[in-house]
Amino acid sequence: MAYPAKTSHFQRQPTRAALGSFLGTLIEWFDFYIFATASALIFNHVFFPETTPVIGILSSFATLAVGFFARPLGGIIFGNIGDRVGRKPALVMTLVLMGGATVGIGLLPSYEQAGILAPVLLVLLRILQGIAVGGEWGGAVLLANEHAPEGKKSFYSSFAQLGSPAGLILALLAFRYISSLPDEDLYSWGWRLPFIGSLLLLIVAFIIRRGVNESPEFQSDKIAEDAQKLPSPVRVVLRESWPKVLLVMGACTIGISSAYFTNTFMIAYTTQFLGLDSSVILGCLSIVAIVQLINQPIAAWLSDKVGTGTFLLIASGGSMLVPYIMFTLVETQQSGYIILGISLAKIFSSAFYAVIAGYVVSVFPVRQRYSGISLAYQTCGALIGGTTPFIGTLIAGNSNGQWWPLALFYSVLSAISFICVLILIIWQRSAANVVTSSGCVMEGDKVISEVADSRV
């Protein structure tokens, strides 16, 4: 029995769904970024005070990486919920989990107050953050994508991606404000304010997300056959579509890693190796985040015009070349040049990041989408995103702060995305107008209908 391809009898809410996805991911990424920023500036003093500065930063970044390693688990847990129960219930749960973990971090005792228990609790709450983000991204992208009208899928999907730069802007502004406090106040109570204050954002996002209807495509698909009677979507994806999972993982590399290279590692690099004041780099990154926020919807709109595959190749190709310009400008230690250099890198990487979400949705059928894209994206995040600041710090430490090995590292990350997107394009075009093993009828790189797979 074929799953219905058209869902016109279900009410689509493209604008409301896009807004709900944006606000939901904003709070999720604000919570995630304030942890990342605190890892670069605060946690080595509060939770790892009995180490050298470099070891303290590495310990903080290791704690940051723990959250990334928990993200695939979140993708599996909430992917199953999202593919079997619904996108909306999964997203409400991830929001509450993330908010609770973040407020809990803001209430933690310091190492001086609780000893080893303090960093242990920090790691546990970080794991909960990772699980929440692991389940959030796939659902937010799908909710916007599956409500969107045909021909505008990339544009509406990009609103889920806008939560990242918007959350980053709020996180950087918050830390730029508290970083002006005296050190004694900053390390005792000042750093806690963004974490506890995120509760207000959580309430607003929760109310708005509750008002968005379930995905029309999921509702139509669920009517064809009770989704809860299906085998685990994650098992089906791993059994039938594991090559696609690997390719999507590789394709997402620069979109994920660039954020933590320029937004997290760059803070540590400029303050520890160039001697720049933290308020200067935080101010520069705040402006760069605004550039990213403006660039992403424009990039998504353009990709719907020129083709998402072609656009992604251009964006990842540009990302391979731009880090050499970026570091040359950052090395001047002048704010204007720093902003220009990082912005140039962000124009390419954020364009890729905005478009990749809508592109990978087409790789998997409706019943496997939440699980498929979440597993691929979050595993990439664990392997690449979480380790990027750590590896960057090791490279900088071993090269005495020289920038060219770091630029080469960035180019390699970009090349991985370029190659995997190219393979996906070739694969999808070769499968044009045939039924693939995952149950999708393809036309170029676009899913035009979905049919039941007897093994599902």
Side-chain angles (χ1 to χ4, degrees), residues 262-302:
T262 57
N263 300 336
T264 303
F265 166 71
M266 194 61 76
I267 296 174
Y269 175 73
T270 55
T271 56
Q272 296 296 320
F273 294 96
L274 298 184
L276 209 63
D277 188 84
S278 62
S279 62
V280 174
I281 186 60
L282 288 174
C284 292
L285 291 177
S286 297
I287 296 175
V288 172
I290 295 173
V291 172
Q292 179 181 353
L293 188 67
I294 296 171
N295 183 60
Q296 284 191 195
I298 296 174
W301 178 81
L302 284 173

Side-chain angles (χ1 to χ4, degrees), residues 244 431-442 449-453:
K244 292 181 180 179
N433 300 317
V434 299
V435 180
T436 68
S437 61
S438 61
C440 299
V441 177
M442 309 298 298
S449 66
E450 294 184 331
V451 298
D453 188 319

Side-chain angles (χ1 to χ4, degrees), residues 184-202:
E184 183 177 355
D185 293 336
L186 174 63
Y187 298 135
S188 61
W189 58 266
W191 70 269
R192 303 177 185 274
L193 296 180
F195 290 88
I196 298 173
S198 69
L199 182 61
L200 297 176
L201 291 174
L202 169 66

Side-chain angles (χ1 to χ4, degrees), residues 150-445:
E150 291 298 328
K152 296 183 179 179
K153 295 288 189 180
S154 292
F155 178 72
Y156 280 94
S157 297
S158 72
F159 278 83
Q161 304 291 69
L162 281 178
S164 178
L168 175 62
I169 291 171
L170 291 181
L172 290 173
L173 290 176
F175 271 89
R176 188 180 184 188
Y177 170 75
I178 66 171
S179 66
S180 63
L181 294 171
D183 286 351
E184 183 177 355
D185 293 336
L186 174 63
Y187 298 135
S188 61
W189 58 266
W191 70 269
R192 303 177 185 274
L193 296 180
F195 290 88
I196 298 173
S198 69
L199 182 61
L200 297 176
L201 291 174
L202 169 66
I203 294 172
V204 174
F206 180 83
I207 293 172
I208 293 175
R209 179 163 280 179
R210 290 267 299 179
V212 180
N213 290 339
E214 180 58 83
S215 155
E217 290 186 31
F218 177 82
Q219 291 183 75
S220 177
D221 198 48
K222 189 174 181 182
I223 284 177
E225 184 178 348
D226 187 358
Q228 298 185 50
K229 296 179 181 178
L230 295 174
S232 167
V234 172
R235 289 204 301 268
V236 174
V237 168
L238 291 176
R239 185 179 69 235
E240 301 176 2
S241 303
W242 62 266
K244 292 181 180 179
V245 171
L246 293 177
L247 286 172
V248 172
M249 283 174 54
C252 291
T253 296
I254 191 58
I256 294 175
S257 62
S258 65
Y260 295 94
F261 190 100
T262 57
N263 300 336
T264 303
F265 166 71
M266 194 61 76
I267 296 174
Y269 175 73
T270 55
T271 56
Q272 296 296 320
F273 294 96
L274 298 184
L276 209 63
D277 188 84
S278 62
S279 62
V280 174
I281 186 60
L282 288 174
C284 292
L285 291 177
S286 297
I287 296 175
V288 172
I290 295 173
V291 172
Q292 179 181 353
L293 188 67
I294 296 171
N295 183 60
Q296 284 191 195
I298 296 174
W301 178 81
L302 284 173
S303 74
D304 279 327
K305 304 296 181 183
V306 304
T308 54
T310 300
F311 189 90
L312 289 171
L313 290 177
I314 294 172
S316 55
S319 289
M320 283 190 278
L321 303 176
V322 79
Y324 306 93
I325 302 174
M326 174 179 66
F327 275 104
T328 300
L329 294 174
V330 169
E331 287 287 313
T332 66
Q333 300 186 39
Q334 298 183 34
S335 295
Y337 287 124
I338 293 173
I339 293 169
L340 177 59
I342 301 178
S343 293
L344 288 174
K346 273 296 179 185
I347 286 174
F348 288 101
S349 64
S350 67
F352 186 94
Y353 178 73
V355 176
I356 192 64
Y359 181 77
V360 299
V361 167
S362 69
V363 175
F364 301 97
V366 174
R367 292 288 183 86
Q368 302 170 17
R369 277 181 185 166
Y370 204 136
S371 299
I373 67 174
S374 295
L375 183 62
Y377 186 88
Q378 304 306 341
T379 303
C380 177
L383 297 176
I384 301 297
T387 58
T388 293
F390 191 88
I391 294 173
T393 301
L394 287 177
I395 293 174
N398 290 329
S399 63
N400 297 319
Q402 295 185 69
W403 64 263
W404 68 264
L406 295 167
L408 182 61
F409 175 47
Y410 193 94
S411 293
V412 170
L413 295 172
S414 303
I416 293 172
S417 288
F418 181 92
I419 293 169
C420 289
V421 168
L422 182 61
I423 295 173
L424 278 172
I425 291 173
I426 295 172
W427 187 347
Q428 290 187 303
R429 286 180 179 173
S430 68
N433 300 317
V434 299
V435 180
T436 68
S437 61
S438 61
C440 299
V441 177
M442 309 298 298
E443 184 178 83
D445 62 355

